[in-house]
Amino acid sequence: MLPTVILPGYLESADVYLPLQQALNALGTPTTIVPLRKRDWLPTLGGRSMVPILRQLDRTVNAALEDNQAQKINLIGHSAGGWISRIYIGEIPYIIHGDVTESAKLWNAKSKVANLITLGTPHISGERWTKKNLDFVNDNYPGAMYSDVKYICVAGKSIYGEKKLGQWLAYSSYQQTCGEGNTWGDGITAIEAAHLDGAKNIIIEDIKHSPRSPGIWYGSPEVLSQWTSYLT
């Protein structure tokens, strides 16, 4: 199987994805996690540039290709890691924050990626801090943009958003991502926001958003077979 790279979600560190890495290794795909620490996200707070994350992603992908003598990888992006991955594979220079020039070459990596699998990714959002970055993604790369990359978008269906105890966070988060709080999702990302036009869109029941959430999340052994079959 092709090597696999995991890009953590926003403000997450690589260590919480170790069980998923081990499970994927056991399936026969040599897996690497982008070695992020929580503090590595600090320069991106407030809707700022994702260039620091793209740099680490690019280094990890190139090392995985070289170490495995491969031409392509499977790229798994959890939560915000999914839409950051869409910047990475896209061909248009990500210079909207003025912190790099076109010479940085931290994008246009679609030739390195066979499959992009997003787990609970908010591909749309009305939240003001993410708007600039996500507008760049969706204006330039709508839906499953590239025919030579297979997009697999996985959504969880565990919590219905309502304005009541235990569901208020989900309601608020769904409303920020897709504009509707009274809907289903994984507690953070609404199903509607987690899917892309033209992608292989999957819904998994009873899945929570984060590896830190109580119960089952996208990387739990009980549900891996529902999306890992798309790794090549």
Side-chain angles (χ1 to χ4, degrees):
M1 294 179 71
L2 294 177
T4 294
V5 171
I6 301 170
L7 180 58
Y10 196 59
L11 297 179
E12 278 293 5
S13 55
D15 60 309
V16 297
Y17 298 88
L18 288 172
L20 175 57
Q21 179 190 34
Q22 292 164 0
L24 295 177
N25 280 329
L27 290 175
T29 173
T31 303
T32 310
I33 308 166
V34 180
L36 294 171
R37 300 157 297 179
K38 285 192 174 184
R39 66 175 178 265
D40 292 328
W41 293 96
L42 293 179
T44 75
L45 294 178
R48 287 181 284 179
S49 172
M50 291 294 163
V51 161
I53 308 304
L54 290 170
R55 282 201 178 100
Q56 293 212 46
L57 172 59
D58 188 52
R59 283 197 294 266
T60 305
V61 168
N62 290 334
L65 291 171
E66 182 176 354
D67 291 346
N68 295 280
Q69 297 184 342
Q71 298 299 314
K72 290 178 180 287
I73 62 157
N74 300 301
L75 180 55
I76 298 172
H78 172 236
S79 195
W83 61 257
I84 296 170
S85 295
R86 291 168 66 200
I87 296 174
Y88 181 61
I89 66 175
E91 65 202 75
I92 297 172
Y94 176 68
I95 55 176
I96 59 173
H97 294 276
D99 55 336
V100 291
T101 65
E102 294 187 20
S103 63
K105 297 181 180 179
L106 297 172
W107 42 80
N108 200 20
K110 65 180 184 298
S111 64
K112 302 175 184 178
V113 178
N115 302 290
L116 172 60
I117 299 178
T118 66
L119 306 176
T121 291
H123 289 293
I124 56 174
S125 178
E127 203 275 324
R128 66 191 182 105
W129 298 118
T130 57
K131 189 175 187 330
K132 185 173 184 177
N133 284 318
L134 270 173
D135 281 354
F136 173 84
V137 175
N138 290 315
D139 288 348
N140 291 299
Y141 314 120
M145 173 78 174
Y146 295 112
S147 60
D148 50 346
V149 176
K150 293 181 180 178
Y151 295 71
I152 299 92
C153 299
V154 188
K157 183 181 180 182
S158 59
I159 300 176
Y160 187 81
E162 291 188 90
K163 292 183 178 180
K164 65 182 186 181
L165 186 65
Q167 293 165 272
W168 183 270
L169 173 61
Y171 176 91
S172 176
S173 185
Y174 300 163
Q175 190 173 51
Q176 288 184 355
T177 54
C178 73
E180 175 57 63
N182 296 124
T183 189
W184 283 97
D186 63 13
I188 297 295
T189 304
I191 292 172
E192 179 184 347
H195 285 166
L196 286 174
D197 288 342
K200 175 62 179 179
N201 292 315
I202 299 169
I203 299 173
I204 303 180
E205 300 282 343
D206 302 322
I207 297 299
K208 301 291 182 59
H209 182 76
S210 169
R212 299 183 188 274
S213 302
I216 300 172
W217 84 289
Y218 296 93
S220 295
E222 301 93 318
V223 300
L224 279 182
S225 63
Q226 296 191 52
W227 60 265
T228 56
S229 59
Y230 297 94
L231 298 170
T232 57

